[in-house]
Amino acid sequence: MELLKLHLEARWGKCTDQLRIPDPHKKIPLSFQVLEFPPSDGHNFWIYSTLGMSIDMDAHFIELHVFSQKQDSSLVELLTVTASFHRNDSPLGLHHSVFIGRPWQDNSLCDHAFLSLPYLDGVELETFDFGENHLHNLWLLPITEKERDYKMQQGWNALEELFEAKGLYYLDPNRVSCA
Protein backbone atom coordinates (compact mmCIF):
# COMPACT_ATOMS: atom_id res chain seq x y z
CA MET A 1 0.00 0.00 0.00
CA GLU A 2 2.94 2.31 0.47
CA LEU A 3 3.64 2.20 -3.27
CA LEU A 4 0.04 3.14 -4.01
CA LYS A 5 0.27 6.03 -1.55
CA LEU A 6 3.43 7.23 -3.32
CA HIS A 7 1.58 6.93 -6.65
CA LEU A 8 -1.17 9.23 -5.36
CA GLU A 9 1.29 11.66 -3.81
CA ALA A 10 3.19 11.90 -7.11
CA ARG A 11 0.03 13.39 -8.62
CA TRP A 12 -1.53 15.31 -5.71
CA GLY A 13 1.39 16.21 -3.44
CA LYS A 14 2.05 15.04 0.08
CA CYS A 15 -1.00 13.86 1.99
CA THR A 16 -1.35 15.68 5.28
CA ASP A 17 -3.43 13.13 7.10
CA GLN A 18 -4.27 9.45 7.07
CA LEU A 19 -7.71 9.13 8.58
CA ARG A 20 -9.88 6.30 9.87
CA ILE A 21 -13.27 6.11 11.46
CA PRO A 22 -14.29 3.25 13.76
CA ASP A 23 -15.65 0.20 11.96
CA PRO A 24 -18.04 -1.37 14.49
CA HIS A 25 -18.75 -4.35 12.24
CA LYS A 26 -15.08 -5.06 11.46
CA LYS A 27 -15.87 -5.40 7.75
CA ILE A 28 -13.00 -3.25 6.45
CA PRO A 29 -9.34 -4.26 6.74
CA LEU A 30 -7.44 -2.61 9.58
CA SER A 31 -5.01 -1.20 7.03
CA PHE A 32 -7.78 0.76 5.22
CA GLN A 33 -7.35 4.55 5.40
CA VAL A 34 -8.60 7.72 3.82
CA LEU A 35 -5.83 10.07 2.74
CA GLU A 36 -6.38 13.81 2.90
CA PHE A 37 -4.62 16.02 0.34
CA PRO A 38 -4.74 19.81 0.81
CA PRO A 39 -4.96 22.24 -2.10
CA SER A 40 -1.73 22.36 -4.11
CA ASP A 41 -0.26 23.77 -7.30
CA GLY A 42 -2.01 21.04 -9.31
CA HIS A 43 -5.47 21.39 -7.72
CA ASN A 44 -6.92 24.28 -5.75
CA PHE A 45 -9.25 22.05 -3.71
CA TRP A 46 -9.11 19.28 -1.11
CA ILE A 47 -8.89 15.64 -2.19
CA TYR A 48 -9.89 12.64 -0.11
CA SER A 49 -8.80 9.21 -1.35
CA THR A 50 -9.22 5.66 -0.14
CA LEU A 51 -6.14 3.56 0.44
CA GLY A 52 -6.62 -0.19 0.78
CA MET A 53 -10.26 -0.34 -0.26
CA SER A 54 -9.71 -3.42 -2.42
CA ILE A 55 -6.82 -4.99 -0.56
CA ASP A 56 -7.06 -8.80 -0.43
CA MET A 57 -9.99 -8.92 -2.88
CA ASP A 58 -9.75 -11.37 -5.77
CA ALA A 59 -11.07 -8.85 -8.30
CA HIS A 60 -12.61 -5.38 -8.54
CA PHE A 61 -9.39 -3.57 -7.64
CA ILE A 62 -10.43 0.05 -7.24
CA GLU A 63 -9.70 3.03 -5.06
CA LEU A 64 -11.93 6.10 -4.93
CA HIS A 65 -11.38 9.81 -4.47
CA VAL A 66 -13.69 12.77 -3.97
CA PHE A 67 -13.03 16.50 -4.31
CA SER A 68 -14.10 19.28 -1.95
CA GLN A 69 -13.89 23.07 -1.81
CA LYS A 70 -13.23 22.79 1.93
CA GLN A 71 -11.58 20.50 4.42
CA ASP A 72 -14.37 18.13 5.42
CA SER A 73 -14.02 15.13 7.73
CA SER A 74 -17.50 13.89 6.71
CA LEU A 75 -15.91 12.76 3.43
CA VAL A 76 -13.88 10.22 5.40
CA GLU A 77 -17.16 8.64 6.47
CA LEU A 78 -18.54 8.81 2.92
CA LEU A 79 -15.52 6.99 1.48
CA THR A 80 -15.45 4.47 4.34
CA VAL A 81 -19.12 3.57 3.93
CA THR A 82 -18.66 3.29 0.16
CA ALA A 83 -15.61 1.06 0.66
CA SER A 84 -17.60 -1.16 3.02
CA PHE A 85 -20.42 -1.43 0.47
CA HIS A 86 -17.88 -2.37 -2.22
CA ARG A 87 -16.29 -5.05 -0.05
CA ASN A 88 -19.36 -6.51 1.61
CA ASP A 89 -22.49 -5.88 -0.43
CA SER A 90 -21.89 -5.28 -4.12
CA PRO A 91 -18.52 -4.75 -5.82
CA LEU A 92 -18.36 -1.35 -7.48
CA GLY A 93 -16.78 -0.39 -10.76
CA LEU A 94 -16.55 2.25 -13.43
CA HIS A 95 -19.87 3.98 -14.26
CA HIS A 96 -21.71 2.52 -11.27
CA SER A 97 -23.82 4.80 -9.12
CA VAL A 98 -24.52 4.56 -5.40
CA PHE A 99 -26.94 6.13 -2.94
CA ILE A 100 -24.88 7.89 -0.28
CA GLY A 101 -27.71 8.21 2.20
CA ARG A 102 -27.42 11.91 2.96
CA PRO A 103 -26.43 15.14 1.26
CA TRP A 104 -22.83 15.06 0.03
CA GLN A 105 -22.03 18.26 1.92
CA ASP A 106 -24.14 20.83 3.76
CA ASN A 107 -27.66 20.83 2.26
CA SER A 108 -26.61 19.56 -1.15
CA LEU A 109 -29.11 17.97 -3.51
CA CYS A 110 -26.34 15.49 -4.33
CA ASP A 111 -27.20 12.38 -2.33
CA HIS A 112 -25.92 9.86 -4.88
CA ALA A 113 -22.51 9.36 -6.46
CA PHE A 114 -21.28 8.27 -9.88
CA LEU A 115 -18.00 6.40 -10.32
CA SER A 116 -16.22 8.12 -13.17
CA LEU A 117 -12.84 8.14 -14.79
CA PRO A 118 -10.48 10.62 -13.13
CA TYR A 119 -10.75 13.11 -15.98
CA LEU A 120 -8.89 15.86 -14.12
CA ASP A 121 -5.87 13.63 -13.54
CA GLY A 122 -5.88 11.29 -16.51
CA VAL A 123 -4.61 7.81 -17.09
CA GLU A 124 -1.42 8.54 -15.11
CA LEU A 125 -3.51 8.49 -11.95
CA GLU A 126 -6.20 6.07 -13.08
CA THR A 127 -4.11 2.93 -13.44
CA PHE A 128 -1.69 1.54 -10.89
CA ASP A 129 0.06 -1.71 -11.77
CA PHE A 130 1.18 -4.16 -9.11
CA GLY A 131 2.43 -7.53 -10.19
CA GLU A 132 0.05 -9.25 -12.58
CA ASN A 133 -2.87 -7.06 -11.56
CA HIS A 134 -3.73 -3.42 -11.90
CA LEU A 135 -5.91 -1.13 -9.88
CA HIS A 136 -8.14 1.70 -11.08
CA ASN A 137 -8.42 4.99 -9.21
CA LEU A 138 -11.93 6.27 -9.85
CA TRP A 139 -13.56 9.62 -9.16
CA LEU A 140 -16.52 9.44 -6.77
CA LEU A 141 -18.55 12.27 -8.30
CA PRO A 142 -21.52 13.41 -6.18
CA ILE A 143 -24.73 13.59 -8.22
CA THR A 144 -28.42 14.20 -7.63
CA GLU A 145 -31.11 11.55 -7.69
CA LYS A 146 -32.44 13.05 -10.95
CA GLU A 147 -28.98 12.71 -12.51
CA ARG A 148 -28.79 9.10 -11.32
CA ASP A 149 -32.22 8.44 -12.84
CA TYR A 150 -31.07 10.07 -16.08
CA LYS A 151 -28.04 7.77 -16.14
CA MET A 152 -30.25 4.72 -15.53
CA GLN A 153 -32.57 5.70 -18.40
CA GLN A 154 -30.14 7.18 -20.92
CA GLY A 155 -26.83 5.51 -20.00
CA TRP A 156 -23.62 6.70 -18.39
CA ASN A 157 -22.29 8.25 -21.60
CA ALA A 158 -25.40 10.43 -21.93
CA LEU A 159 -24.95 11.57 -18.32
CA GLU A 160 -21.35 12.58 -18.96
CA GLU A 161 -22.39 14.39 -22.15
CA LEU A 162 -25.09 16.22 -20.16
CA PHE A 163 -22.50 17.30 -17.59
CA GLU A 164 -20.26 18.57 -20.38
CA ALA A 165 -23.11 20.44 -22.11
CA LYS A 166 -24.33 22.05 -18.87
CA GLY A 167 -20.82 22.91 -17.64
CA LEU A 168 -21.07 20.90 -14.42
CA TYR A 169 -19.35 22.66 -11.51
CA TYR A 170 -18.46 19.51 -9.58
CA LEU A 171 -17.10 21.32 -6.50
CA ASP A 172 -20.33 23.15 -5.65
CA PRO A 173 -22.43 21.22 -3.14
CA ASN A 174 -25.28 23.68 -3.73
CA ARG A 175 -25.43 23.21 -7.48
CA VAL A 176 -28.74 22.50 -9.19
CA SER A 177 -29.33 19.23 -10.94
CA CYS A 178 -28.22 19.03 -14.59
CA ALA A 179 -31.10 16.63 -15.39
Side-chain angles (χ1 to χ4, degrees):
M1 285 198 344
E2 187 62 27
L3 289 176
L4 177 56
K5 180 181 170 193
L6 292 172
H7 174 74
L8 297 172
E9 288 181 330
R11 186 65 187 160
W12 294 329
K14 188 85 172 142
C15 79
T16 55
D17 222 337
Q18 299 175 45
L19 308 161
R20 288 187 56 83
I21 61 170
D23 177 16
H25 303 292
K26 308 284 189 255
K27 291 185 169 187
I28 306 175
L30 289 174
S31 58
F32 173 82
Q33 303 170 56
V34 175
L35 304 179
E36 180 183 70
F37 296 88
S40 65
D41 292 338
H43 295 299
N44 63 348
F45 46 81
W46 291 85
I47 303 170
Y48 292 84
S49 178
T50 62
L51 182 68
M53 177 172 155
S54 299
I55 195 167
D56 74 11
M57 293 182 75
D58 292 331
H60 311 288
F61 295 118
I62 64 170
E63 298 291 342
L64 300 175
H65 60 274
V66 63
F67 301 138
S68 176
Q69 292 185 76
K70 63 183 181 180
Q71 189 174 21
D72 185 352
S73 61
S74 75
L75 298 178
V76 177
E77 178 187 15
L78 170 62
L79 289 170
T80 302
V81 168
T82 306
S84 180
F85 180 80
H86 169 71
R87 294 185 61 81
N88 301 294
D89 293 304
S90 182
L92 298 171
L94 182 61
H95 305 129
H96 286 181
S97 52
V98 294
F99 176 58
I100 58 178
R102 62 173 172 75
W104 156 45
Q105 289 181 315
D106 305 323
N107 294 317
S108 178
L109 294 176
C110 299
D111 61 358
H112 287 73
F114 172 61
L115 276 63
S116 179
L117 291 172
Y119 290 114
L120 300 181
D121 295 289
V123 72
E124 303 85 30
L125 176 81
E126 178 196 348
T127 304
F128 177 74
D129 292 316
F130 60 100
E132 296 177 11
N133 297 310
H134 58 275
L135 176 141
H136 292 279
N137 289 295
L138 301 177
W139 181 10
L140 185 77
L141 175 61
I143 62 173
T144 67
E145 183 176 17
K146 286 182 181 180
E147 292 164 344
R148 190 279 322 259
D149 292 347
Y150 184 86
K151 182 202 101 161
M152 300 301 286
Q153 295 165 1
Q154 305 295 321
W156 65 265
N157 197 39
L159 178 64
E160 289 187 346
E161 289 173 358
L162 179 67
F163 288 159
E164 186 72 26
K166 298 273 185 165
L168 173 71
Y169 184 52
Y170 52 85
L171 288 172
D172 183 5
N174 299 313
R175 71 176 181 80
V176 296
S177 181
C178 290

